[in-house]
């Protein structure tokens, strides 16, 4: 079995300095020597980068921008990344190119200069782009009327029975004066995000909900005695308010998650191959409605229900960084294929993706900020030499091998 290559922040900084012709300190040289001595794969990766001349071909970029401010952005970018990145040898050369590209393509100035120096980026991409999603959602009240939340002012939106619906200064929806005494008259509300939308909600019991793009949550305006029940489509992250007398239950597709107080994520998109419940803190029970199977989760575990199957699969060491990236304002994928990545980009950037040809043998590892324009996110395709064209006006992306 091939050993994994590890590239930490210090090595990325040293590689940048070396390839930019900056003088290495004694400590830099020692760290680099130790890294090269640790693995033959590390030495081979370093040799291939230098032999291919990737950095050399792009050094002219650095002469056209201010070095100090740009290096500050490089440092910030590195600081935002995980401290250690592991990947297998089949993809090591691709990853090293991606790492090199991420160091060079940090600021908007360097990104523009890099585009102008490479013919593979289309003229259209140089002048047109797709903006990321933002805080937008629709609230559907019990009587069927709707409120477009991004277009209404902060303050009281409406009142249903004894419950006030408030839009807070932070752009969240919360409910005031809901009580169990009025539970008999409780009505159902639904919060829905479109493609390119996300929103935060505070339920009547104080539970906080983050709703991802193309998702919805249906809930009562006040919770009665007994279970607190909500229904979710798409993806949502919960911080459940503790209430030992009233367990909190989330129904998503063919699963039901029961908790008392915890932090967890549910992904139940119709076009994804599985319903995934991932536990960050506390404890939950995942019930498979059709069979009655129950799976208990502890922090760091994930319950997977593949579409068309009747058994929950337990993932004991879930990829927490990838699962919870969207909550922290990032898009992250670790060894994901093109189709998986593009489904996520379709939802967040509100685009249509057409994948032509087979790219099943390629997987990708990258992490970017969700506030980045689409062109910056798609740079990983250029690094991996995958052709694409973007019709920004019609929000259509076409990918070919």
């Amino acid at each position: 079995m091939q050993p994994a290559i590890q590239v930490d922040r210090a090595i990325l900084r040293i590689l940048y300095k070396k390839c930019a012709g900056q003088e290495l300190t004694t400590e830099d040289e020692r760290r680099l020597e130790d890294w090269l001595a640790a693995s033959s794969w590390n030495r081979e990766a370093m040799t291939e980068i230098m032999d291919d001349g990737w950095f050399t071909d792009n050094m002219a970029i650095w002469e056209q921008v201010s070095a100090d401010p740009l290096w500050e952005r490089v440092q910030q970018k590195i600081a935002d990344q995980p401290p250690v990145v592991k990947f297998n040898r089949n993809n090591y050369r691709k990853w090293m190119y991606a790492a090199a590209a991420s160091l060079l393509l940090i600021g908007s100035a360097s990104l523009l200069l890099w585009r102008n120096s490479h013919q593979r980026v289309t003229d259209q991409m140089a002048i047109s782009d797709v903006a990321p999603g933002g805080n937008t959602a629709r609230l559907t009240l019990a009587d069927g009327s709707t409120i477009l939340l991004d277009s209404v002012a902060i303050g009281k939106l409406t009142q249903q029975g004894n419950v006030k619906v408030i839009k807070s200064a932070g752009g969240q929806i919360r409910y005031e004066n809901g009580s169990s005494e009025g539970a008999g008259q409780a009505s159902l509300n639904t919060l829905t995000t479109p493609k390119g939308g996300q929103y935060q909600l505070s339920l009547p019991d104080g539970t906080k909900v983050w709703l991802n793009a193309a998702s919805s949550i249906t809930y009562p305006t006040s919770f009665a005695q007994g279970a607190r029940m909500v229904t979710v489509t798409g993806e949502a992250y919960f911080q459940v308010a503790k209430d030992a007398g009233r367990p909190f239950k989330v129904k998503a597709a063919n699963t039901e998650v029961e908790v008392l107080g915890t932090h967890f994520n549910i992904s139940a998109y119709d076009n994804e191959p599985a319903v995934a419940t991932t536990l960050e803190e506390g404890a939950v029970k995942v019930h498979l409605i059709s069979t009655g199977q129950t799976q208990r989760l502890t922090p760091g575990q994930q319950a997977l229900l593949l579409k068309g199957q009747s058994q929950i699969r337990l993932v004991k060491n879930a990829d927490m960084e990838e699962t919870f990236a969207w909550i922290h304002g990032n898009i992250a994928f670790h060894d994901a294929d093109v189709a998986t990545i593009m489904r996520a980009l379709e939802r967040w950037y509100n685009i249509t993706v057409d994948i032509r040809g087979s790219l099943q043998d390629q997987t990708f590892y990258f992490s970017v900020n969700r506030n980045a324009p689409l062109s910056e996110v798609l740079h990983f395709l250029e690094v991996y030499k995958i052709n694409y064209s973007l019709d920004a006006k019609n929000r259509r992306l076409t990918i070919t091998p």
Side-chain angles (χ1 to χ4, degrees):
M1 183 176 179
Q2 307 288 7
I5 299 173
Q6 296 188 357
V7 182
D8 63 20
R9 298 174 185 173
I11 294 299
L12 287 176
R13 178 188 176 102
I14 293 167
L15 289 175
Y16 163 81
K17 291 172 66 177
K18 183 177 179 65
C19 295
Q22 298 182 14
E23 183 177 355
L24 301 184
T25 66
T26 302
E27 178 63 17
D28 289 339
E29 292 177 348
R30 185 192 64 78
R31 284 178 176 269
L32 184 58
E33 288 174 1
D34 289 346
W35 180 73
L36 293 173
S39 167
S40 61
W41 310 121
N42 291 357
R43 294 192 294 274
E44 187 175 347
M46 182 72 171
T47 300
E48 290 205 17
I49 289 176
M50 297 303 181
D51 286 348
D52 286 337
W54 200 96
F55 280 98
T56 302
D57 291 343
N58 291 276
M59 277 299 104
I61 295 172
W62 298 98
E63 298 174 1
Q64 301 178 55
V65 294
S66 174
D68 291 340
L70 190 57
W71 175 236
E72 291 176 3
R73 292 196 292 273
V74 170
Q75 289 179 304
Q76 182 61 49
K77 183 69 175 180
I78 293 174
D80 290 340
Q81 300 305 312
V84 176
V85 178
K86 298 182 179 180
F87 50 98
N88 40 42
R89 184 171 181 259
N90 292 335
N91 284 331
Y92 82 89
R93 181 177 177 182
K94 295 177 181 179
W95 192 94
M96 289 301 290
Y97 272 107
S102 68
L103 287 172
L104 286 177
L105 306 179
I106 302 300
S108 58
S110 62
L111 177 59
L112 179 60
L113 289 167
W114 189 89
R115 286 179 180 167
N116 290 340
S117 67
H118 287 75
Q119 293 299 316
R120 67 175 177 268
V121 181
T122 64
D123 292 339
Q124 183 180 20
M125 280 297 297
I127 61 174
S128 186
D129 209 340
V130 175
N135 292 326
T136 179
R138 180 181 72 251
L139 179 64
T140 302
L141 305 177
D143 62 3
S145 61
T146 61
I147 301 174
L148 298 179
L149 298 177
D150 50 323
S151 62
V152 294
I154 294 169
K156 178 182 173 183
L157 301 182
T158 187
Q159 183 157 343
Q160 301 172 96
N162 67 332
V163 180
K164 297 177 182 178
V165 184
I166 309 293
K167 180 179 179 180
S168 68
Q172 302 180 25
I173 294 300
R174 57 186 174 86
Y175 289 75
E176 287 187 355
N177 299 327
S179 66
S180 59
E181 287 77 8
Q185 291 75 45
S187 53
L188 293 179
N189 285 184
T190 299
L191 184 67
T192 306
T193 56
K195 284 185 175 181
Q198 64 180 8
Y199 221 81
Q200 294 184 35
L201 166 70
S202 182
L203 294 174
D205 66 335
T207 292
K208 298 184 183 301
V209 183
W210 285 254
L211 207 60
N212 206 349
S215 304
S216 72
I217 179 171
T218 300
Y219 52 92
T221 55
S222 64
F223 288 109
Q225 294 298 324
R228 298 168 285 170
M229 176 71 77
V230 302
T231 301
V232 165
T233 67
E235 186 168 24
Y237 173 78
F238 291 84
Q239 291 185 354
V240 178
K242 293 183 178 180
D243 187 339
R246 296 187 298 172
F248 192 92
K249 295 184 178 182
V250 181
K251 186 179 183 298
N254 192 29
T255 64
E256 183 179 282
V257 180
E258 180 179 346
V259 302
L260 292 177
T262 190
H263 300 181
F264 66 100
N265 191 83
I266 294 181
S267 178
Y269 286 110
D270 289 339
N271 64 344
E272 292 295 342
V275 176
T277 301
T278 311
L279 182 61
E280 183 179 40
E281 179 182 310
V284 302
K285 291 189 295 185
V286 181
H287 303 278
L288 183 54
I289 296 173
S290 60
T291 67
Q293 179 192 0
T294 298
Q295 178 65 62
R296 294 178 180 270
L297 298 182
T298 58
Q301 293 184 339
Q302 181 180 77
L304 273 182
L305 175 62
L306 298 176
K307 300 290 178 66
Q309 296 191 9
S310 58
Q311 289 289 323
I312 296 173
R313 182 165 68 89
L314 176 63
V315 179
K316 293 185 177 181
N317 294 298
D319 190 330
M320 305 296 280
E321 180 190 349
E322 181 175 310
T323 299
F324 295 101
W326 72 276
I327 291 297
H328 302 295
N330 297 316
I331 301 172
F333 286 98
H334 302 163
D335 291 324
D337 60 25
V338 170
T340 298
I341 296 172
M342 291 305 146
R343 287 194 298 270
L345 297 187
E346 281 185 318
R347 290 189 290 264
W348 183 235
Y349 288 90
N350 189 19
I351 60 173
T352 299
V353 180
D354 180 14
I355 302 177
R356 300 177 182 177
S358 176
L359 297 169
Q360 295 178 351
D361 294 336
Q362 292 184 276
T363 58
F364 307 89
Y365 184 119
F366 77 103
S367 177
V368 295
N369 191 287
R370 271 165 67 102
N371 290 324
L374 182 60
S375 62
E376 189 170 328
V377 178
L378 293 179
H379 174 63
F380 80 94
L381 293 175
E382 301 169 21
V383 172
Y384 286 78
K385 302 188 185 303
I386 293 176
N387 299 313
Y388 72 89
S389 61
L390 176 64
D391 179 354
K393 180 179 180 180
N394 294 304
R395 310 184 80 88
R396 178 174 292 276
L397 174 68
T398 303
I399 297 176
T400 56

